[in-house]
Amino acid sequence: VLDYKIKELKAQIDPKTADIESMKKQTQAMDGELNDYIQKNKQLALDISQLQMKQRALQEEIKSQKRRLRDDVSLINRFKFDLSECVENLNEPKALKESIAQLYRKYLQAGAKKLDLDTDMQKEYNRQRDYLEKSVDSLKRKLEKDSQ
């Protein structure tokens, strides 16, 4: 009687054990998928932050260009005004010569020095930007390598 009872209980346990094993396999597969999703999520978050940094940099560049455009338009307007004052001296050669010389000193001599500074600043900005972009790329590669 006990043997019969033991066989009956084993018959009930065996299907449940098989169910447990299949559920363990299913859980392991789901864990693998979850880890893949976590990795993809981290990569997407990194991509998003990188794009946001680029967007901020571009917005700053746009602001800078707008500011420079405003400054240039202002300079042009001042030059037009000063030039119109020179035209008033058209009939007086000495006064015309002096006003033209004054325009030259005011706009060309000061502008040449400023132009050299602007190009140096732009070169330095571009050099630093290239360096930072390379650093971001190398850190991104390291992250991908470490995550694998």
Side-chain angles (χ1 to χ4, degrees), residues 41-55:
N41 197 11
K42 285 180 182 177
Q43 183 60 39
L44 290 173
L46 181 63
D47 291 345
I48 287 171
S49 66
Q50 189 176 16
L51 289 172
Q52 286 173 338
M53 284 176 26
K54 281 185 179 181
Q55 183 183 21

Side-chain angles (χ1 to χ4, degrees), residues 87-137:
V87 171
E88 291 175 7
N89 296 326
L90 200 59
N91 295 331
E92 301 170 24
K94 276 195 168 198
L96 180 63
K97 182 179 177 180
E98 180 58 35
S99 62
I100 294 292
Q102 193 175 17
L103 273 179
Y104 176 79
R105 284 190 298 275
K106 184 175 183 180
Y107 291 101
L108 293 181
Q109 286 180 342
K113 292 176 186 173
K114 184 179 179 187
L115 182 62
D116 289 341
L117 287 176
D118 285 346
T119 56
D120 289 342
M121 287 175 20
Q122 187 65 33
K123 285 179 185 176
E124 179 65 19
Y125 172 77
N126 288 337
R127 187 186 67 77
Q128 288 181 0
R129 183 174 179 181
D130 290 340
Y131 172 75
L132 290 174
E133 286 177 353
K134 287 177 185 176
S135 296
V136 167
D137 289 340

